[in-house]
Amino acid sequence: MATGVAVSDEVSTSFQKFKLQQEPFKLRYFVYEIKDKKTIVIEKQGAREKTYEDLVEELPENDCRYVLIDLEFESADGRPTSKLVFISWNPDTASIRSKMLYSGSKEVLKSALNGVGIHINATDYSELDFETSILPTVKKFA
């Protein structure tokens, strides 16, 4: 579904540097929002020291967001590894208009974040639980 929402140039440029962990994008995560119903922009950045739990705390309870995180974890055979993970935060408590806009615009952002292979949709905080929801999904790709 095309919504006419575009991705800002800053999102694409910062993503390329983030992938390679180049300064000033040696970060843990980005939180993206749709500004003025037209453009996907970076709302927040998480410093490298931040954790997945810090990210979850930054998400609004009643509005949608997109997230890109460099998630570090242990693989099934005990190796430390990391994966880039895209999360679409579309809470049940958000307005219908916001949910429709974010759902319909997700693909344009995913195409700008070329090379991110793990995509997770979350509609409530239980689906963001690291141990029970996120980690099992990510480990399938490790």
Side-chain angles (χ1 to χ4, degrees):
M1 173 170 84
T3 58
V5 172
V7 176
S8 80
D9 291 340
E10 175 193 31
V11 168
S12 302
T13 309
S14 61
F15 171 66
Q16 295 307 321
K17 294 185 181 202
F18 175 69
K19 250 191 334 191
L20 303 171
Q21 285 296 295
Q22 294 177 337
E23 294 293 351
F25 295 104
K26 278 188 138 180
L27 303 168
R28 174 68 57 209
Y29 59 80
F30 288 107
V31 177
Y32 304 103
E33 71 174 329
I34 298 177
K35 200 77 157 168
D36 302 323
K37 299 181 186 150
K38 298 191 281 209
T39 312
I40 298 172
V41 298
I42 297 169
E43 179 188 32
K44 298 175 184 173
Q45 300 176 358
R48 195 76 199 155
E49 315 66 66
K50 295 271 193 173
T51 65
Y52 177 78
E53 287 72 27
D54 294 328
L55 164 66
V56 172
E57 286 176 18
E58 293 207 37
L59 294 175
E61 189 176 337
N62 299 314
D63 202 5
C64 305
R65 291 294 183 272
Y66 303 116
V67 171
L68 179 67
I69 182 167
D70 184 5
L71 201 59
E72 294 176 340
F73 60 98
E74 244 183 47
S75 66
D77 59 3
R79 291 175 296 116
T81 188
S82 70
K83 295 282 182 195
L84 293 179
V85 180
F86 176 83
I87 300 172
S88 177
W89 172 239
N90 209 331
D92 292 330
T93 53
S95 72
I96 300 279
R97 180 178 298 242
S98 181
K99 290 196 283 192
M100 296 282 289
L101 184 63
Y102 275 79
S103 293
S105 305
K106 180 171 54 175
E107 291 305 318
V108 71
L109 178 57
K110 281 168 58 173
S111 64
L113 304 178
N114 192 9
V116 178
I118 305 173
H119 304 114
I120 298 173
N121 297 313
T123 58
D124 65 41
Y125 285 107
S126 70
E127 293 176 347
L128 289 175
D129 185 87
F130 186 74
E131 293 296 328
T132 61
S133 193
I134 301 298
L135 192 56
T137 302
V138 172
K139 277 190 170 180
K140 292 177 193 169
F141 297 90

